[in-house]
């Protein structure tokens, strides 16, 4: 997808500023917990990788990292069932865990991961996201950019319909997808 077809929503500088601020807040929160074990920062792949990387490299506390690969959107931008493709978590029993994702929309992916972590005995679970939707009612602990609109996001970890554009440094809104014969309801 060409950048010329995209609407700039958030610049790289704005993202960096907010992520750095959030890293400081979470680091201070962790210090106040006085937990002898470092927290486990869990990245939700693939979309969360850019945000996750920027967040943890700006944190000022020791931490461990793990990964979930989850999928809830299809190529035609419709939310489907949550599919967990990868779960590297081994021992979270009694541990503080932060789930870091690019976006919380309906909350179904976050709910599925929280359920899995709870089933594994995580002691305390916090949620962290780069953006969330304006009409989202899912409770998130830490958000860089709340109340975003209905745009399909591209860049800074978000992909387009072909699975590319994740490496764009800014966050863009993509135009609506074109309806093709297979997507349009037949009226005859």
């Amino acid at each position: 997808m060409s950048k010329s077809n995209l609407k700039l929503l958030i610049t790289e500088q704005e993202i960096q500023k907010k992520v750095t601020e959030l890293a400081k807040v979470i680091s201070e929160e962790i210090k106040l917990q006085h937990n002898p074990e470092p927290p486990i920062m869990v990245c939700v792949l693939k979309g969360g990788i850019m945000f996750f990387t920027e967040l943890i490299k700006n944190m000022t506390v020791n931490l461990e990292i793990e990964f979930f690969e989850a999928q809830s959107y299809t190529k035609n931008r419709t939310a489907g069932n949550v599919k967990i493709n990868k779960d590297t978590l081994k021992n979270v029993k009694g541990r503080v865990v932060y789930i870091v994702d690019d976006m919380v929309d309906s909350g179904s992916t976050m709910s599925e991961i929280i359920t899995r972590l709870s089933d594994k005995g995580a002691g305390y679970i916090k949620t962290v996201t780069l953006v969330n939707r304006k009409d989202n009612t899912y409770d998130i602990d830490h958000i860089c950019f709340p109340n975003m609109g209905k745009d399909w996001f591209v860049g800074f970890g978000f992909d387009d319909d072909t699975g590319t554009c994740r490496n764009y440094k800014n966050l863009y809104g993509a135009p609506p997808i074109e309806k093709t014969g297979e997507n349009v309801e037949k009226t005859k």
Side-chain angles (χ1 to χ4, degrees):
M1 179 175 291
S2 168
K3 286 184 186 177
S4 64
N5 296 334
L6 301 173
K7 174 177 69 175
L8 179 62
L9 298 175
I10 306 171
T11 67
E12 175 185 14
Q13 293 77 20
E14 291 170 309
I15 293 169
Q16 295 303 324
K17 182 178 184 288
K18 285 284 199 176
V19 172
T20 301
E21 290 169 1
L22 183 58
K24 183 178 179 183
V25 167
I26 294 173
S27 294
E28 291 303 314
E29 179 179 279
I30 290 167
K31 288 175 188 174
L32 291 173
Q33 293 169 357
H34 301 292
N35 195 321
E37 298 214 47
I40 301 171
M41 305 297 289
V42 178
C43 176
V44 181
L45 299 171
K46 297 179 182 171
I49 191 68
M50 300 284 277
F51 173 49
F52 180 80
T53 303
E54 290 301 315
L55 181 70
I56 65 169
K57 76 181 187 181
N58 283 290
M59 292 180 66
T60 59
V61 294
N62 288 328
L63 50 89
E64 294 178 21
I65 63 171
E66 291 293 344
F67 301 91
F68 265 99
E69 183 177 346
Q71 182 178 10
S72 62
Y73 282 91
T74 62
K75 287 191 182 219
N76 64 1
R77 302 182 187 176
T78 57
N81 293 331
V82 176
K83 181 179 175 189
I84 303 294
N85 299 323
K86 182 179 292 206
D87 172 356
T88 66
L89 293 174
K90 307 247 182 315
N91 183 12
V92 297
K93 191 166 183 67
R95 301 286 299 276
V96 175
V97 179
Y98 285 78
I99 306 167
V100 182
D101 202 357
D102 57 354
M103 176 181 69
V104 175
D105 195 346
S106 68
S108 58
T109 302
M110 195 64 78
S111 291
E112 177 65 26
I113 293 172
I114 288 172
T115 298
R116 286 174 180 248
L117 289 170
S118 295
D119 290 348
K120 291 180 179 204
Y124 190 68
I125 301 169
K126 295 284 240 173
T127 54
V128 184
T129 188
L130 180 67
V131 300
N132 83 323
R133 298 285 188 200
K134 189 178 294 187
D135 56 354
N136 178 29
T137 58
Y138 194 85
D139 190 27
I140 304 164
D141 297 300
H142 299 285
I143 306 165
C144 279
F145 297 97
N147 303 317
M148 297 295 288
K150 289 288 187 187
D151 287 294
W152 180 263
F153 301 118
V154 174
F156 203 73
F158 292 90
D159 64 336
D160 69 357
D161 303 326
T162 65
T164 61
C165 304
R166 291 185 191 274
N167 60 316
Y168 292 175
K169 294 177 182 180
N170 299 309
L171 186 65
Y172 298 91
I177 56 174
E178 302 267 331
K179 299 291 184 191
T180 62
E182 62 191 47
N183 296 42
V184 177
E185 187 179 318
K186 295 183 179 180
T187 57
K188 293 185 181 182

